[in-house]
Structure formats: structure tokens, C-alpha cells
Amino acid sequence: MSGEPMKKKRRLSGFGMIASTDELYEQRCSLPIYPARSKLVNEIRKTSSVIVIGETGSGKTTQIPQYVSEAGLVKNAMIACTQPRRVAAITVAQRVAMEMNVELGKEVGYCVRFDDMTSAQTKIKYMTDGMLLREALLDPLLLRYNMVILDEAHERTIHTDVLFGIVKDAQKKRKDGVHHPLKIVVMSATMDVDHFSRYFNNCNVLYLEGRQYPIEIFYCNQPQSDYLFSAVVSIFQIHQEEPPGHDILVFLTGQEEIEAVVKSVRDIAQDLSTDYPRLFVCPMYAALPPSQQLKIFQPTPQGARKVIIATNIAETSVTIQGIKHVIDTGKVKARSYRAGSGLDILKVQWLSKAQAWQRTGRSGREDSGTCWRLYTEEEFEALPDNTIPEIQRCNLASVVLQLLALGIPNILEFDFIDKPSSEAIIGALDQLHLLSAVEKTDQIQLTPFGKRMVMFPLEPQFSRILLMAKEYSCLEEVLTIVSMLSVESVLHTPHSKRENALAARKKFESSDGDFIMLLNIYKAYRAVKGNKEWCFENFINGRHMQTALDVRQQLHGMCLKARLTIQSCGQNTSAIRKCMTSGLFMNSAELQRDGEYLTLDRRQSVYIHPSSCLFQCKPAYVLYSELVHTSKCYMRNLCVVDPEWLYEAAPTYFKRRYSKNT
Ligand code: CDP
Ligand code: MG
């Protein structure tokens, strides 16, 4: 029967848990989406586009591709299912391979930046939205797929937003009778359905019946000045009052504060009387090693309680069972952008009402639940209804470069579901012009240099660095630095052993800054062949190092393909720093007489991040790889530079800035 989940016999062992195929089959059949499967398959069969709305955990991501494949709708092509997050693409593919009892990478695979787990047999491909966008560069009609599922549409990431336009255009062009048709499925937990339906030619919307039990919501009486402290207090208040087995999910904004709160909660729990249930504290964020991420899915032992402290990854991307209480700090870390400066800043900010409801809904899935909002009802009322799409608050340089590479010359006329401001688009074009990627004749077009930049899956400034390395004979070195900057930090600084970690790091440090330090770490790691003990003793995250090596190998391959010669400049760190300046000159800051730094473009006040090896130093001019806004605006990953190098890298830019600032 069409859409019937397939049943195979064999025992499977996952990470520490054993689930038989029978059990998996039963789990599949008990999902809220299961009763709707024939209706879904029929709808997808008869129309070209459909929107599916259903609560997190109802089974959209894992089941719909399987139903479609079981119903024989895939034929000789593939289904792409996009995810805004890498972790989601990987874990969902693992889960689906397990449910289908196939090896990951065969019929079911995933593809994320620098990690492709697919093969010629792959029919269901989970991928990040960014990867599908890259594929569109080579194949704008997406002919390898006969269905594209744009998942987590409500997240409105910049890549998903661009994909809406590209997929819609590909579908229209493939209605020519020559090509096989393309089906589009847009999936989401909550969203402005009418807006989406209108955009996709008034397509139908299917609502899945979710399970939702009543949820009691508590607000604070007064605004909270320290949401981390309030979160810890709330955890113990619930812990002391509620029976064991009622798990707690806490929403925070990032790795550092999560680790800090995990530590406080563990410390306090140790001193608690044994009358209270045992407390299992699990952090959850994207950079956490996969084995530790899986801990949150393991059932809580009898008589104990689990507390999961997560980023907004737990809002919709992953489903956790057993949650009875949600603590919502009301905060989220998001990119924001100031048009004009062209820079993205990662900043902790208030969430939207839609996100707050999504968090609330994480309790009350299996029984009634509670949600503790660590803000007042007035503060809630003042929140915006929906999150502003990323495309309207991010630097567009990378996306504009890709759209130009796709042959879309008039970006302002591209069929965006929500248009970014023309100021932002012009700003991006301006930046690309400074990076010598575009030229403005009667029409805006990519330069030959710009076309080569598109070959690398990197932000344009980093692609430029690789391409400019020839001039400084240092591709060997900048390849390493760019790879190290493309992965999560390789520095492991546990709270309890901070001093030891900093002492161990001393030998890698450089007065030239973090870029050179990263290079030193890489060389030392290679010299000991990635020895685990060495990593442990030196507080280096071996897993992230391994990823950096892997990324480097792939970028190395791309450089060879681009016919670049891999040369080394030896100990000449000036050559390396000059080369880095050629791409990152827009990320520069100058020391002021009062000992503070101002960025060169917008004269914005910035500080050296405590994780930098230059934290105690005051070089006159620095480059940085990114700005992070927590209590202050911090520059991360610094490099000492000469002001002349900045000027040489972009004379017109600095001339213009200089005349503006004086
Ligand atoms: O996409 P949606 O949020 O509707 O649900 P899903 O991701 O397809 O998840 C459906 C169910 O599959 C969840 O409730 C989990 O029980 C299970 N699942 C899992 O065990 N491990 C995963 N990595 C993903 C899903
Ligand atoms: Mg999903």
C-alpha cells in the first residue's frame, strides 16, 4: 500500500541504546503524522507545491521523505530535504537510515559543508540549505531532484529565503515539457501560512494534528537583570517542588553561558540533601561532540530528573522526549547587521512572540506542562510577533555573489519572498566591488576574479585571501588559517581548569596575534600526528582539529582545481598577515589614545575578546575575523597589522573612510 512504512526484521544498535526494527516500526506508527500519511502522499502526488504545518516532533522531517519514497514518487531522481542546521541534517539522516535499516550514506545520506555522506545510491538526501544553494550554482534547475523539501521554513535563514526564489524559478522552468517536473514541499512548525501560500502560487496547506496538552505559563513579576542567575534559581525551585521524572528544558543563548550554568547547577546539586531526586545535567549546543549530544535523548533513570540546558537548537530542530517544564530566558543569539558598515554582529537579543510560543510548546507534548518565562507579561507583549528574516538583517555579500554567479544580474528584482532593503543590496555590491569580485559597467557583473571566488564555499573575503596568496607565496599557510577559522574553536578552556589551559597555550602564542597562533597549533598538532594525549595536555579540542584538517584537505583540493600553486613563505609572518589583510581589511580597528579601539569604518567602539592571545596587549592596528556582542562588542581572532598594509589592500576604501571621518 502506498505510504505504508516498510517493516524489516533485524536488531539495530545505536549509540548505547538498542532499538529493534520492530520497536522503530512501532515508533513510526505512533507518530502524530502517521494517520495523515495517505492524505499527504495523495496531495503531493496531485499538486506541484504544498505547505505542511505540524508541531515539532510530529514526524515531518523523518517521515515525509520516507512516505514519498515508499509511494514510489522518487523514481530516478532524488529528494532533497534542507535543514538550516548542520546538526539537524546529520542526526535526522542517521535516524532515518536506522528506521529504514540501511547504511548511512547509501539510500539515505546527508550533505553539509565539508562533509558529504551520500553515494550514487542515495535517494533521500538531507542537506543544509547552504549546500543546496551551492549545488544550484552548477545546476540551476536542480535536475538531480524531483522533489525539494524546504524544511524549518519558519527559521527564515538567509539561504532558505534565497532557495525559495531559486526553487520556485526552477519549478516554473521545468514545466516546459522537456524536463521532469519539480515538486516543492515547504514544512514548518509555525509560520505566516498565507504569506507563503501566496508566494508559492496559492498552494494548499496541510495541517497535521499534533498532540498538545494544556500548558500553564508563569511570568516574572519584575524584569530580571541577570537571566543566567534567574535560570539557575528557577531550575532549583522546580527541582525542589516537582516529582522526579519531570524533566526540565532551559533555553539559553550560547556555548559559553551554557557551560557556565551547567557547572553552577552541578555544583549546587552536589550540596543538596539526598531527599531530592538525582539531577542529570545535559548541555546541548551545535558545537557539542555528537556522543554528548545524544545524552539528551537517553531516557531519564527512575527516580531521577534530567535538566537540558540548550540553545535555540532545541526550539524546533531536535525533539526531546519527557519535557514537563520549560524555562525560557527570552533571549537568543542572532546575527544582526548594520547596513553601511557591512558587518555582521553576533548578538544576544530578545526573541519574538512566535519563538516564545515555540519554546513553550516544548513542554506539554506527552502530558500537561509548565513554561516559566523569565520576563514580565508586559515584556512579552512588547516583543515583535515574528522574527525578522535573516535576509533582512545580515550581510548579503556572500548571497549577492552567489546570485550573480547564478546569472541573476538584477538582484533588486529577484523574486524574494521578503525583499532585503535596497540599501543592504547596494552595500553588498559595494563590498564585492572592494574585493574585486564585481565590476559595474552598464550592468553589474562578476569579474573573472569574482568567478573564481565563487568556487570556494567560503565568505567572499576568505576566498579572496586564498586567491591573493600567490602574491605573497603563502597559500600553504593561509589555507591552514582559513581552515582553522572555518571550524569551531580548537581551544578548549574548561571553567575549572582555566589557568592550566592558558598556561599550556603560552607556547603557541604569537605577538602577531591569533591567526599566527592558530598556525602554530596546527603545525604542532601535525608534528605529533594528532596524538590524543598531546591534545589533552595542551587543552586542544582534537575533534575540532580533525575537522580543521579535513576542511583544509578539501580546500586544498579546490585550490589545485583552481590551478593555484601551493607555496610556503616559511617563517615570514608579515607575508601571511599582508595576505590576510587583502581579504579582511574591512574588519580592522585602531587603538585610540585612551587605550580603546575603534573600528576603522564606522568608528565603533570594540574590545579585544578575552580568548585572544592579544588580550593583554595593545597593538596599534588589528584585523579580526568576527565581532561578537555580549556585554560589550568584542573582536575575535585578531591579527596585528601595519596601517600601510590596510591602505595598500584597498586604497579607495580607506581614502573614502578617511575623508568621511575627518
Ligand atoms: O520534523 P518534526 O519535528 O515534525 O519531527 P521529526 O524530526 O520527524 O521527529 C519525529 C520523531 O522521531 C521524534 O519525536 C523522535 O521520537 C524521533 N527522532 C529521533 O528519535 N531522533 C532523531 N534524530 C530525530 C527524530
Ligand atoms: Mg523537523
Coordinates of all heavy atoms in Angstrom, one line a residue, residues 56 85 155 227-228 230-232 234-235 248-255 257-258 261 282 284 296 307-320 323 325-333 348-349 351 354-363 365 370-375:
T56 N 6.6 20.5 16.2 CA 7.8 19.8 16.4 C 7.6 18.5 17.0 O 6.9 18.3 18.0 CB 8.8 20.7 17.3 OG1 8.8 22.0 16.7 CG2 10.2 20.1 17.3
R85 N 20.3 23.8 10.0 CA 21.4 23.5 10.8 C 22.1 22.2 10.4 O 21.4 21.2 10.1 CB 21.0 23.3 12.3 CG 20.4 24.5 12.9 CD 19.8 24.1 14.2 NE 18.7 25.0 14.5 CZ 18.9 26.2 15.1 NH1 20.1 26.6 15.5 NH2 17.8 27.0 15.3
E155 N 12.3 29.3 10.2 CA 13.5 29.9 10.7 C 14.0 31.0 9.8 O 14.8 31.9 10.2 CB 14.6 28.8 10.7 CG 14.3 27.8 11.8 CD 15.5 27.7 12.8 OE1 16.5 28.4 12.6 OE2 15.4 26.9 13.7
Y227 N 19.7 37.0 33.6 CA 18.9 35.9 33.2 C 19.5 34.5 33.5 O 18.9 33.5 33.7 CB 18.4 35.9 31.8 CG 19.4 35.9 30.7 CD1 19.9 34.7 30.2 CD2 20.0 37.1 30.2 CE1 20.9 34.7 29.2 CE2 20.9 37.1 29.2 CZ 21.4 35.9 28.7 OH 22.4 35.8 27.8
L228 N 20.9 34.5 33.6 CA 21.6 33.3 33.9 C 21.3 32.9 35.4 O 21.0 31.7 35.7 CB 23.1 33.4 33.7 CG 23.5 33.7 32.3 CD1 25.0 33.8 32.2 CD2 23.0 32.6 31.4
S230 N 18.7 34.0 37.2 CA 17.3 33.6 37.3 C 17.1 32.2 36.8 O 16.2 31.5 37.4 CB 16.4 34.6 36.5 OG 16.8 35.9 36.7
A231 N 17.8 31.8 35.8 CA 17.6 30.4 35.3 C 18.0 29.4 36.3 O 17.3 28.4 36.6 CB 18.4 30.2 34.0
V232 N 19.1 29.6 36.9 CA 19.6 28.7 38.0 C 18.6 28.6 39.1 O 18.2 27.5 39.6 CB 21.0 29.0 38.5 CG1 21.5 28.1 39.6 CG2 22.0 29.0 37.3
S234 N 15.4 29.2 39.1 CA 14.2 28.6 38.6 C 14.4 27.1 38.6 O 13.5 26.3 38.9 CB 13.8 29.1 37.3 OG 13.7 30.5 37.3
I235 N 15.5 26.6 38.1 CA 15.8 25.2 38.0 C 15.6 24.5 39.3 O 14.9 23.5 39.5 CB 17.2 24.9 37.4 CG1 17.3 25.3 36.0 CG2 17.6 23.4 37.6 CD1 18.7 25.3 35.4
I248 N 13.4 19.0 32.8 CA 13.3 20.5 32.6 C 14.2 20.8 31.3 O 15.3 20.3 31.1 CB 14.0 21.2 33.8 CG1 13.3 20.8 35.1 CG2 13.9 22.7 33.6 CD1 13.9 21.3 36.4
L249 N 13.7 21.7 30.5 CA 14.4 22.2 29.4 C 14.6 23.7 29.5 O 13.6 24.4 29.7 CB 13.7 21.9 28.1 CG 14.2 22.5 26.8 CD1 15.6 22.0 26.4 CD2 13.3 22.2 25.6
V250 N 15.9 24.2 29.5 CA 16.2 25.6 29.7 C 16.7 26.1 28.4 O 17.6 25.5 27.8 CB 17.2 25.7 30.8 CG1 17.4 27.2 31.2 CG2 16.9 25.0 32.1
F251 N 16.2 27.3 28.0 CA 16.8 27.9 26.8 C 17.7 29.1 27.1 O 17.3 30.0 27.8 CB 15.6 28.5 26.0 CG 14.9 27.4 25.2 CD1 13.7 27.0 25.7 CD2 15.4 26.9 24.0 CE1 12.9 26.0 25.0 CE2 14.7 25.9 23.3 CZ 13.5 25.5 23.8
L252 N 19.0 28.9 26.7 CA 20.0 30.0 26.9 C 20.5 30.3 25.5 O 19.9 29.8 24.5 CB 21.1 29.5 27.8 CG 20.8 29.3 29.2 CD1 22.0 28.9 30.0 CD2 20.2 30.5 29.9
T253 N 21.6 31.1 25.4 CA 21.9 31.6 24.0 C 23.1 31.0 23.4 O 23.3 31.1 22.2 CB 22.0 33.1 24.0 OG1 23.3 33.5 24.7 CG2 20.9 33.8 24.7
G254 N 24.1 30.5 24.2 CA 25.3 30.0 23.5 C 26.1 29.1 24.4 O 25.9 29.0 25.6
Q255 N 27.2 28.5 23.8 CA 28.0 27.5 24.4 C 28.6 28.0 25.8 O 28.5 27.3 26.8 CB 29.1 27.2 23.5 CG 30.2 26.3 24.1 CD 31.2 25.9 23.0 OE1 31.0 26.1 21.9 NE2 32.2 25.1 23.5
E257 N 27.8 30.4 28.0 CA 26.9 30.6 29.1 C 26.3 29.2 29.5 O 26.0 29.0 30.7 CB 25.9 31.7 28.9 CG 25.0 31.5 27.8 CD 24.0 32.7 27.6 OE1 24.5 33.8 27.9 OE2 22.9 32.5 27.2
I258 N 26.1 28.4 28.5 CA 25.5 27.1 28.8 C 26.5 26.3 29.7 O 26.1 25.7 30.8 CB 25.2 26.3 27.6 CG1 24.0 26.9 26.9 CG2 24.9 24.8 27.9 CD1 23.6 26.3 25.6
V261 N 26.4 27.7 33.3 CA 25.2 27.3 34.0 C 25.2 25.8 34.4 O 24.9 25.4 35.5 CB 23.9 27.7 33.2 CG1 22.7 27.1 33.9 CG2 23.8 29.2 33.2
C282 N 22.4 18.1 31.3 CA 23.0 17.9 29.9 C 23.0 19.2 29.1 O 22.0 19.8 28.9 CB 22.1 16.9 29.1 SG 21.6 15.5 30.0
M284 N 23.4 21.3 25.6 CA 23.0 21.0 24.2 C 23.3 22.2 23.4 O 22.6 23.2 23.5 CB 21.6 20.5 24.1 CG 21.1 20.3 22.7 SD 21.9 18.8 22.0 CE 21.3 18.9 20.4
I296 N 21.1 13.7 25.6 CA 19.8 14.3 25.9 C 18.6 13.4 25.5 O 17.5 13.6 25.9 CB 19.6 15.7 25.3 CG1 19.6 15.7 23.8 CG2 20.7 16.7 25.8 CD1 19.1 16.9 23.2
V307 N 17.9 17.7 33.4 CA 17.8 19.1 33.1 C 18.6 19.3 31.8 O 19.8 19.1 31.8 CB 18.4 20.1 34.1 CG1 18.3 21.5 33.8 CG2 17.8 19.8 35.5
I308 N 18.0 19.8 30.7 CA 18.7 20.0 29.5 C 18.9 21.5 29.3 O 17.9 22.3 29.4 CB 17.9 19.4 28.3 CG1 17.9 17.9 28.5 CG2 18.6 19.8 27.0 CD1 16.7 17.3 27.8
I309 N 20.1 22.0 29.1 CA 20.4 23.4 29.0 C 20.8 23.6 27.6 O 21.9 23.2 27.2 CB 21.4 23.8 30.1 CG1 20.8 23.4 31.4 CG2 21.6 25.3 30.0 CD1 21.6 23.8 32.6
A310 N 20.0 24.3 26.8 CA 20.2 24.3 25.3 C 20.1 25.7 24.7 O 19.6 26.6 25.3 CB 19.1 23.4 24.7
T311 N 20.7 25.8 23.5 CA 20.5 27.0 22.7 C 19.1 26.8 22.0 O 18.4 25.8 22.2 CB 21.5 27.1 21.6 OG1 21.5 25.9 20.8 CG2 22.9 27.2 22.2
N312 N 18.8 27.7 21.1 CA 17.5 27.6 20.4 C 17.5 26.4 19.4 O 16.5 26.2 18.7 CB 17.0 28.9 19.8 CG 17.9 29.4 18.7 OD1 19.1 29.0 18.6 ND2 17.4 30.2 17.8
I313 N 18.6 25.6 19.4 CA 18.6 24.4 18.6 C 17.4 23.5 19.1 O 16.9 22.7 18.3 CB 19.9 23.7 18.8 CG1 20.2 22.6 17.8 CG2 20.1 23.1 20.2 CD1 21.6 22.1 17.8
A314 N 17.1 23.6 20.4 CA 16.0 22.8 20.9 C 14.6 23.3 20.7 O 13.6 22.7 21.0 CB 16.2 22.5 22.4
E315 N 14.6 24.5 20.0 CA 13.3 25.1 19.7 C 12.5 24.3 18.7 O 11.3 23.9 19.0 CB 13.5 26.5 19.2 CG 12.8 27.6 19.9 CD 13.2 29.0 19.3 OE1 12.9 29.3 18.2 OE2 13.9 29.7 20.1
T316 N 13.1 23.9 17.6 CA 12.4 23.1 16.6 C 13.3 22.1 16.0 O 12.8 21.1 15.5 CB 11.9 24.0 15.4 OG1 13.0 24.7 14.9 CG2 10.9 25.0 15.9
S317 N 14.6 22.2 16.0 CA 15.5 21.4 15.2 C 15.6 19.9 15.8 O 15.7 19.0 15.1 CB 16.9 21.9 15.2 OG 16.9 23.0 14.4
V318 N 15.6 19.8 17.1 CA 15.6 18.5 17.7 C 14.5 18.2 18.6 O 13.9 19.2 19.2 CB 17.0 18.3 18.5 CG1 18.2 18.3 17.6 CG2 17.1 19.3 19.6
T319 N 14.1 17.0 18.7 CA 12.9 16.6 19.5 C 13.4 15.9 20.7 O 14.1 14.9 20.6 CB 12.0 15.7 18.7 OG1 11.7 16.3 17.5 CG2 10.7 15.5 19.4
I320 N 13.0 16.3 21.9 CA 13.5 15.7 23.1 C 12.2 15.2 23.9 O 11.3 16.0 24.0 CB 14.3 16.7 24.0 CG1 15.4 17.3 23.2 CG2 14.8 16.0 25.3 CD1 15.8 18.6 23.8
I323 N 9.9 16.1 28.4 CA 10.0 17.5 28.9 C 8.6 17.9 29.5 O 7.6 17.9 28.9 CB 10.3 18.5 27.8 CG1 11.7 18.2 27.2 CG2 10.4 19.9 28.4 CD1 12.9 18.2 28.1
H325 N 8.7 20.7 32.0 CA 8.9 22.1 32.4 C 9.9 22.8 31.4 O 10.9 22.3 31.1 CB 9.5 22.3 33.8 CG 8.7 21.6 34.8 ND1 7.5 22.1 35.3 CD2 8.9 20.4 35.4 CE1 7.0 21.2 36.2 NE2 7.9 20.2 36.3
V326 N 9.5 24.0 30.9 CA 10.3 24.8 30.1 C 10.7 26.1 30.8 O 9.8 26.7 31.4 CB 9.7 25.1 28.7 CG1 10.4 26.2 28.0 CG2 9.7 23.8 27.8
I327 N 12.0 26.4 30.8 CA 12.4 27.7 31.4 C 12.9 28.5 30.2 O 13.8 28.1 29.5 CB 13.5 27.5 32.4 CG1 13.0 26.7 33.6 CG2 14.0 28.9 32.9 CD1 14.0 26.4 34.7
D328 N 12.2 29.6 29.9 CA 12.5 30.4 28.7 C 13.1 31.8 29.2 O 12.4 32.6 29.8 CB 11.2 30.7 27.9 CG 11.5 31.6 26.8 OD1 12.7 31.9 26.4 OD2 10.5 32.1 26.2
T329 N 14.4 32.0 28.9 CA 15.1 33.2 29.3 C 14.6 34.4 28.5 O 15.0 35.5 28.8 CB 16.6 33.1 29.3 OG1 16.9 32.6 27.9 CG2 17.1 32.0 30.2
G330 N 14.0 34.1 27.3 CA 13.6 35.2 26.5 C 14.6 35.7 25.5 O 14.4 36.6 24.8
K331 N 15.8 35.1 25.6 CA 17.0 35.6 24.9 C 17.4 34.6 23.8 O 17.3 33.4 24.0 CB 18.1 35.9 25.8 CG 17.8 37.0 26.8 CD 17.7 38.3 26.1 CE 17.1 39.5 26.9 NZ 17.4 39.6 28.3
V332 N 18.0 35.1 22.8 CA 18.6 34.3 21.7 C 19.8 35.0 21.1 O 19.8 36.3 21.1 CB 17.5 34.0 20.6 CG1 17.0 35.3 20.0 CG2 17.9 33.1 19.6
K333 N 20.7 34.2 20.6 CA 21.9 34.9 20.0 C 21.6 34.9 18.5 O 21.3 33.8 17.9 CB 23.2 34.1 20.3 CG 24.4 34.9 20.1 CD 25.7 34.1 20.3 CE 26.1 34.2 21.8 NZ 27.3 33.4 22.0
V348 N 23.3 38.9 21.6 CA 22.2 38.3 22.3 C 21.1 39.3 22.3 O 21.2 40.5 22.5 CB 22.7 38.1 23.8 CG1 21.5 37.7 24.7 CG2 23.7 37.1 23.9
Q349 N 19.9 38.8 21.9 CA 18.8 39.8 21.8 C 17.5 39.1 22.2 O 17.4 37.9 22.5 CB 18.7 40.4 20.4 CG 18.7 39.3 19.3 CD 19.2 40.0 18.0 OE1 20.1 40.8 18.0 NE2 18.5 39.6 16.9
L351 N 13.8 37.4 21.9 CA 13.2 36.6 20.8 C 11.9 37.2 20.4 O 11.5 38.3 20.9 CB 13.0 35.2 21.3 CG 12.6 34.9 22.7 CD1 11.3 35.6 23.1 CD2 12.4 33.4 22.9
A354 N 6.5 34.5 18.4 CA 6.4 33.2 17.7 C 7.5 32.2 18.3 O 7.1 31.1 18.6 CB 6.7 33.3 16.2
Q355 N 8.7 32.7 18.6 CA 9.7 31.8 19.2 C 9.3 31.5 20.6 O 9.5 30.4 21.0 CB 11.1 32.5 19.2 CG 11.8 32.5 17.8 CD 13.1 33.2 17.9 OE1 13.2 34.4 18.1 NE2 14.2 32.5 17.7
A356 N 8.8 32.5 21.3 CA 8.4 32.2 22.7 C 7.4 31.1 22.8 O 7.4 30.2 23.6 CB 7.9 33.5 23.4
W357 N 6.4 31.2 21.9 CA 5.4 30.1 21.8 C 5.9 28.8 21.4 O 5.5 27.7 22.0 CB 4.2 30.5 20.9 CG 3.4 31.6 21.5 CD1 3.2 32.8 21.0 CD2 2.6 31.5 22.7 NE1 2.4 33.6 21.8 CE2 2.0 32.8 22.9 CE3 2.4 30.5 23.7 CZ2 1.2 33.1 24.0 CZ3 1.6 30.8 24.8 CH2 1.0 32.0 24.9
Q358 N 6.9 28.8 20.5 CA 7.5 27.6 20.1 C 8.3 26.9 21.3 O 8.2 25.7 21.6 CB 8.5 27.9 19.0 CG 9.0 26.7 18.2 CD 7.9 25.9 17.6 OE1 6.9 26.5 17.1 NE2 7.9 24.6 17.7
R359 N 9.0 27.7 22.1 CA 9.7 27.2 23.3 C 8.7 26.7 24.3 O 8.8 25.6 24.8 CB 10.5 28.3 23.9 CG 11.7 28.7 23.1 CD 12.5 29.8 23.7 NE 13.7 30.0 22.9 CZ 14.7 30.8 23.3 NH1 14.7 31.5 24.4 NH2 15.8 31.0 22.5
T360 N 7.6 27.4 24.5 CA 6.5 27.0 25.4 C 6.0 25.6 25.0 O 5.9 24.7 25.9 CB 5.4 28.0 25.4 OG1 5.9 29.3 25.7 CG2 4.3 27.6 26.4
G361 N 5.8 25.4 23.7 CA 5.3 24.2 23.2 C 6.1 23.0 23.4 O 5.7 21.8 23.3
R362 N 7.4 23.2 23.8 CA 8.3 22.0 24.0 C 7.9 21.3 25.2 O 8.2 20.1 25.4 CB 9.8 22.4 24.1 CG 10.3 23.3 23.0 CD 10.1 22.9 21.6 NE 10.7 21.6 21.4 CZ 10.0 20.5 21.0 NH1 8.7 20.6 20.8 NH2 10.6 19.4 20.7
S363 N 7.1 21.9 26.2 CA 6.5 21.1 27.3 C 5.1 20.8 26.8 O 4.7 21.2 25.7 CB 6.4 22.0 28.5 OG 5.4 22.9 28.4
R365 N 4.0 18.0 25.5 CA 3.9 17.1 24.4 C 3.3 15.8 24.8 O 2.6 15.1 24.0 CB 5.2 16.9 23.8 CG 5.7 17.9 22.8 CD 4.9 17.9 21.5 NE 5.3 19.0 20.8 CZ 4.7 20.2 20.8 NH1 3.6 20.3 21.5 NH2 5.1 21.2 20.1
T370 N 4.4 23.0 32.1 CA 4.5 24.4 32.5 C 5.6 25.1 31.8 O 6.6 24.5 31.4 CB 4.8 24.5 34.0 OG1 6.0 23.8 34.3 CG2 3.7 24.1 34.9
C371 N 5.5 26.4 31.6 CA 6.5 27.2 31.0 C 6.8 28.4 31.9 O 5.9 29.1 32.3 CB 6.1 27.6 29.6 SG 7.4 28.7 28.9
W372 N 8.0 28.6 32.3 CA 8.4 29.7 33.2 C 9.1 30.7 32.3 O 10.2 30.5 31.8 CB 9.4 29.1 34.3 CG 8.8 28.0 35.0 CD1 8.6 26.7 34.5 CD2 8.3 28.0 36.3 NE1 8.0 25.9 35.4 CE2 7.8 26.7 36.6 CE3 8.2 28.9 37.3 CZ2 7.2 26.3 37.8 CZ3 7.6 28.6 38.6 CH2 7.1 27.3 38.8
R373 N 8.5 31.8 32.1 CA 9.1 32.8 31.3 C 9.8 33.8 32.2 O 9.2 34.4 33.1 CB 8.0 33.6 30.5 CG 7.4 32.7 29.4 CD 6.4 33.4 28.5 NE 6.0 32.5 27.4 CZ 4.9 32.7 26.7 NH1 4.2 33.7 26.9 NH2 4.7 31.9 25.7
L374 N 11.1 33.9 32.0 CA 11.9 34.7 32.9 C 11.9 36.2 32.5 O 12.9 36.9 32.4 CB 13.3 34.2 33.0 CG 13.5 32.8 33.4 CD1 15.0 32.4 33.6 CD2 12.8 32.5 34.7
Y375 N 10.6 36.7 32.2 CA 10.4 38.1 31.9 C 9.0 38.4 32.2 O 8.2 37.5 32.5 CB 10.7 38.4 30.4 CG 10.3 37.3 29.4 CD1 9.0 37.3 28.8 CD2 11.1 36.2 29.1 CE1 8.6 36.3 27.9 CE2 10.8 35.2 28.2 CZ 9.5 35.3 27.6 OH 9.1 34.3 26.7

